[in-house]
Amino acid sequence: YGPDHAMTLQLQGGLLSTSFFLESRDNAMAQQGLLLETSKRVFGPNAPPTQGQLFALGMMNLHQRRYAQAEECFRETSDGFRRLTGPAGYYTLWASTFLGVAARHNGKLEEAERILRNVVEGSQQSLGSEHPHTRDAMRHLAEVFTAEERFPEAETLYKKALAEVPPRTWEDPRIRSAALFGLAGLEARRGERSQALGHLRQAVELGFDDPQAFSRNPLLASLRSDPAMAGLVAASEVNSRRPPVAPTP
């Protein structure tokens, strides 16, 4: 195909995503930045391949907790995909979800809520309430409600994200694990120790891969002295060293 072919650049991006998790993250991010510039030169700044490379760079920044840079990437790519596919386009919704996540981390809770409410509504209309991305948007909105101490609303959304789906519908384990982790925090806050630990175990078994979240989440403070927590954190650390599974189609 040649070095500047869309397929070549897409494969290079996939290799960099794997390298990001298995090797040097800083090097992978530097190479992703170069790949983005190549895509801009070859296809133009607004072309779908360029928006995809920008989204990948945003995800790397998000994993590195470089939230300001992540928000900048996702704001640009959500606008780009909106121009290409419309406000309810699949990739528009996907990019907007992570724009809301980055905004939440940057303390912009009102904006994050507005963005994620729109994503949930748009995903329900275009993808259906059972689609993994709809469920993922629900649990991210629940995290905003938790940050705003709107705990009943957060719990309702976590439970919607965890609701059973028909057998033929693919349930994304990453989404279930994150929703279970969030629900466990609300249970721990109410003193429901056994339920919270049970949901944390389920989250880790499904691949929850953010060991630092156990100490970062203030709602889990009452559980940190429990002997089971050390094992859960260790298992989450093991999960974090695995490359992520392929995105939900």
Side-chain angles (χ1 to χ4, degrees), residues 91-131:
Y91 291 108
T92 304
L93 295 171
W94 201 7
S96 296
T97 295
F98 290 103
L99 173 59
V101 172
R104 174 177 67 82
H105 282 295
N106 287 326
K108 302 175 182 178
L109 297 181
E110 289 186 6
E111 182 181 12
E113 179 182 344
R114 176 181 55 78
I115 292 169
L116 290 168
R117 279 189 184 277
N118 288 338
V119 172
V120 169
E121 181 179 345
S123 293
Q124 287 175 325
Q125 292 175 356
S126 62
L127 301 174
S129 60
E130 295 167 350
H131 193 280

Side-chain angles (χ1 to χ4, degrees), residues 41-58:
R41 173 176 57 80
V42 174
F43 304 109
N46 299 318
T50 303
Q51 295 303 315
Q53 298 295 351
L54 181 60
F55 180 87
L57 184 60

Side-chain angles (χ1 to χ4, degrees), residues 9 12-13 16 30-40 53:
L9 297 180
Q12 287 178 327
L16 287 174
Q31 292 300 314
Q32 182 63 43
L34 293 175
L35 200 60
L36 173 61
E37 292 306 313
T38 298
S39 188
K40 288 179 179 179
Q53 298 295 351

Side-chain angles (χ1 to χ4, degrees), residues 94-243:
W94 201 7
S96 296
T97 295
F98 290 103
L99 173 59
V101 172
R104 174 177 67 82
H105 282 295
N106 287 326
K108 302 175 182 178
L109 297 181
E110 289 186 6
E111 182 181 12
E113 179 182 344
R114 176 181 55 78
I115 292 169
L116 290 168
R117 279 189 184 277
N118 288 338
V119 172
V120 169
E121 181 179 345
S123 293
Q124 287 175 325
Q125 292 175 356
S126 62
L127 301 174
S129 60
E130 295 167 350
H131 193 280
H133 283 323
T134 304
R135 301 292 181 94
D136 201 26
M138 287 178 180
R139 71 98 175 171
H140 283 304
L141 181 55
E143 289 172 352
V144 174
F145 288 152
T146 299
E148 294 175 326
E149 299 186 353
R150 294 159 62 182
F151 300 120
E153 292 170 270
E155 184 166 4
T156 296
L157 272 180
Y158 279 131
K159 289 181 176 178
K160 283 185 178 180
L162 291 166
E164 293 298 321
V165 296
R168 293 184 182 180
T169 302
W170 178 24
E171 290 188 80
D172 192 325
R174 297 166 301 176
I175 297 167
R176 285 190 67 81
S177 70
L180 285 163
F181 185 88
L183 182 59
L186 299 179
E187 292 165 338
R189 174 183 172 272
R190 292 197 299 264
E192 298 170 359
R193 194 179 189 88
S194 61
Q195 294 96 318
L197 286 169
H199 282 140
L200 289 175
R201 289 190 189 95
Q202 290 180 50
V204 171
E205 288 169 1
L206 285 170
F208 187 78
D209 60 0
D210 186 358
Q212 295 180 12
F214 287 85
S215 58
R216 202 168 56 237
N217 187 340
L219 300 182
L220 297 178
S222 64
L223 301 181
R224 292 191 186 118
S225 61
D226 193 289
M229 287 292 278
L232 293 171
V233 173
S236 182
E237 175 66 36
V238 171
N239 291 340
S240 73
R241 295 196 290 270
R242 299 172 181 163

